[in-house]
Amino acid sequence: MSAFIIAVDGPAASGKGTIALRLGEQYGLPVLDTGLLYRAVGVTLVRQGGDLGDEAAAAAVARRIDVRRLDDPGFRALGSGEAASRVATHPAVRDALYTLQRAFATKPGGAVIDGRDIGTVICPEAPAKLFITATPKERARRRWLQLTAAGAVTTYEEVLDDIVRRDDRDARRPNAPMRQADDAVLIDTTELTISAAADAARRIVETARARWSKAPQGTTSG
Ligand code: DC
């Protein structure tokens, strides 16, 4: 039987990371946060004194990223999302990270993968696809709470600016832009608690899983 891949896409602070982790626990599947790969590339490049606009240098960093070494707190610090979004516009960086993401996705048994282009580019064949969103203001409120709880000094307005700028860049880049796949199910978490959002996701994945387990192999997309 083919791998049961759950693709979870959406903008920053939409709740997709939490939903992906819950689904991973539920189905006993490994979870890959692909935003962290781009963050690792951006932050490592800046630490090396490199320029985020230098595609060749960013791609060289991307080729050396190790998925087992993504626990550096700097990869989630203030500014790392912006650095990630900038290196994510380089096709050579996306190519380098593609191979890594495919290797994770095609593990026997399956995987949960969250990002921006999982349902459209990385795993278009995924039997379960979700697109998680919320209003920019609600996402900024959540991210600001997270950042300040971790000790960062920033204002709500700065966080909102960062989110709007990144949404715009991530959705407009020509290469693998953030986009809801035609066969993905949308969940708007603006008015939902974490557990209500996770329940909604689980119900959608249950339906997809039932369809996938009955489908002849090779016809499971959608
Ligand atoms: O999910 P996140 O906020 O950690 O992602 C950080 C940035 O990385 C995001 O603004 C765009 C980029 N990204 C991407 O281009 N493609 C992905 N699959 C995941 C993240």
Side-chain angles (χ1 to χ4, degrees):
M1 179 164 275
S2 65
F4 186 63
I5 301 169
I6 306 176
V8 185
D9 287 306
S14 55
K16 66 183 188 308
T18 308
I19 288 174
L21 287 174
R22 297 260 178 120
L23 291 170
E25 275 168 27
Q26 197 130 28
Y27 293 99
L29 295 174
V31 181
L32 180 63
D33 169 358
T34 62
L36 209 44
L37 301 175
Y38 291 92
R39 285 167 182 265
V41 174
V43 170
T44 307
L45 184 60
V46 169
R47 282 180 185 161
Q48 290 175 355
D51 174 356
L52 294 170
D54 182 343
E55 178 163 7
V61 172
R63 284 191 285 274
R64 290 195 303 269
I65 292 293
D66 181 346
V67 278
R68 290 159 305 180
R69 302 184 63 188
L70 294 173
D71 53 359
D72 184 325
F75 296 165
R76 296 193 188 272
L78 197 61
S80 60
E82 173 71 9
S85 171
R86 288 190 55 197
V87 293
T89 61
H90 300 313
V93 168
R94 304 200 75 85
D95 283 353
L97 297 180
Y98 177 87
T99 315
L100 216 147
Q101 293 171 82
R102 280 301 298 177
F104 193 94
T106 53
K107 280 173 193 273
V112 184
I113 310 201
D114 81 73
R116 301 289 188 290
D117 61 339
I118 309 306
T120 50
V121 174
I122 305 296
C123 300
E125 81 282 25
K129 295 185 187 177
L130 301 171
F131 193 87
I132 315 296
T133 193
T135 61
K137 283 184 178 172
E138 173 58 16
R139 291 186 284 121
R141 190 189 67 82
R142 294 174 189 168
R143 184 50 53 87
W144 179 76
L145 286 173
Q146 256 174 14
L147 285 166
T148 50
V153 180
T154 184
T155 63
Y156 164 81
E157 287 74 21
E158 280 171 343
V159 176
L160 180 60
D161 269 4
D162 172 72
I163 283 203
V164 170
R165 193 172 51 242
R166 274 209 282 144
D167 281 358
D168 192 59
R169 187 189 294 115
D170 296 343
R172 283 173 192 264
R173 67 175 175 238
N175 196 258
M178 169 173 68
R179 186 172 74 72
Q180 181 183 345
D182 295 339
D183 52 354
V185 182
L186 180 73
I187 302 178
D188 185 333
T189 66
T190 308
E191 308 277 343
L192 300 181
T193 60
I194 291 173
S195 57
D199 277 354
R202 186 182 41 77
R203 283 195 297 273
I204 294 162
V205 172
E206 273 304 296
T207 306
R209 193 174 167 82
R211 194 168 53 220
W212 170 79
S213 62
K214 286 191 207 117
Q217 289 307 289
T219 61
T220 53
S221 185

